[in-house]
Amino acid sequence: MSAFRRPPVPPELADIIASHQRERRKMTQPTQTEERQDLDDAQIGAVAHIFRAEVYRSTMSRVRFDNTTNWAVVTTGIAMSAAFSSAEAAPLPLVLVGLLVSFFLFIEARRYRYFHIWRARARVLERQFCAPILAGKRPQPNHSEWAKRLAKDYCEPRYRISLARAVGRRLRSNYGWIFAIQMLAYYGKIAIHPTPMASLADLWQRTAVGPIPGPLVVLAGGLFFGGWLCVGAVTLHLDRM
């Protein structure tokens, strides 16, 4: 029995089959010049790891400036304990602790600027990357403004908020309350110790610090707390613009 042989394909039909196969390859395989419009699985996994890294960075930065707030609270508590330890104790610790708390505020504002970078990046990835996946869509970062801005931020990192605005935000969140407690504690100290204050002359006498007269100390305190109040109000206006 002779082996079965496939009959030859006519040249016209062979040309048609070859042309059809070329068209199918063009439809199923992107050319080298064609740009992908979405991410493949490996790229999605890489972006997911970037998102986890940004969340971790923002979390650690938040812990750092929360520690600074704890320092301010502890030092204010120590100053209040020293001032109210006895009727003869001077209110000077409540004055000096204001300078120390101000120093902690500037440290925390600097740390907040770093935190704001990581938080902004994580928020962009949440809205533009994670949310579409949860909605059953595939992220398409190509030609997207958010992807271009995020890539530029990784290549050229910069602060997203000024130091003044960072100071104002931390002041309104925590430090304004610390300064208010300090001011009330100072007034309470000079009002009741060593005896209840009976006249304005007692106020000037108790607020005097060495050769510095009482009225000047009170004026300096008013400028100090009033200045922080103005910083909080002005930066709030800047944040709302």
Side-chain angles (χ1 to χ4, degrees):
M1 183 176 180
S2 59
F4 175 77
R5 293 182 179 179
R6 179 178 299 176
V9 181
E12 297 82 0
L13 183 59
D15 293 340
I16 295 175
I17 294 175
S19 176
H20 181 65
Q21 290 177 347
R22 285 194 299 269
E23 292 295 331
R24 290 189 60 185
R25 283 195 295 268
K26 289 181 180 179
M27 295 175 60
T28 57
Q29 297 181 357
T31 62
Q32 293 182 354
T33 59
E34 182 182 354
E35 189 176 4
R36 293 187 59 90
Q37 297 298 318
D38 56 2
L39 300 176
D40 57 26
D41 293 339
Q43 291 172 326
I44 290 177
V47 177
H49 283 294
I50 293 175
F51 173 69
R52 292 178 58 190
E54 297 300 342
V55 171
Y56 176 77
R57 280 175 165 180
S58 62
T59 302
M60 295 306 297
S61 297
R62 182 60 187 260
V63 170
R64 289 189 67 200
F65 67 72
D66 282 348
N67 288 337
T68 316
T69 304
N70 294 337
W71 300 344
V73 171
V74 170
T75 53
T76 302
I78 293 174
M80 291 175 61
S81 299
F84 287 92
S85 60
S86 65
E88 291 75 19
L92 186 60
L94 294 173
V95 176
L96 299 179
V97 77
L99 302 177
L100 189 58
V101 171
S102 300
F103 176 67
F104 290 149
L105 174 56
F106 279 103
I107 294 177
E108 185 164 325
R110 184 176 62 86
R111 293 179 175 181
Y112 181 83
R113 298 180 76 189
Y114 285 100
F115 163 76
H116 197 265
I117 297 174
W118 321 137
R119 185 183 67 173
R121 291 177 179 176
R123 184 58 182 155
V124 169
L125 291 172
E126 281 179 353
R127 295 183 59 185
Q128 306 295 340
F129 177 75
C130 297
I133 292 178
L134 294 176
K137 302 177 182 178
R138 199 173 185 86
Q140 297 182 355
N142 287 357
H143 307 296
S144 299
E145 287 299 324
W146 70 267
K148 294 178 181 178
R149 290 196 301 267
L150 191 60
K152 183 179 179 180
D153 188 60
Y154 276 111
C155 295
E156 302 174 1
R158 59 180 178 82
Y159 291 120
R160 295 174 176 266
I161 185 175
S162 64
L163 180 61
R165 290 177 61 190
V167 169
R169 289 188 181 184
R170 301 316 301 160
L171 181 66
R172 294 191 302 270
S173 296
N174 294 328
Y175 283 80
W177 301 102
I178 297 175
F179 284 133
I181 293 173
Q182 175 193 349
M183 180 179 62
L184 293 175
Y186 180 78
Y187 175 77
K189 171 64 180 178
I190 62 177
I192 64 174
H193 285 167
T195 58
M197 188 169 54
S199 63
L200 192 60
D202 292 338
L203 174 64
W204 304 140
Q205 179 183 3
R206 296 177 185 183
T207 55
V209 178
I212 304 175
L216 186 58
V217 174
V218 173
L219 177 61
L223 293 176
F224 178 80
F225 293 111
W228 285 125
L229 182 62
C230 291
V231 169
V234 171
T235 54
L236 177 62
H237 175 70
L238 293 176
D239 285 341
R240 290 181 175 178
M241 290 179 59

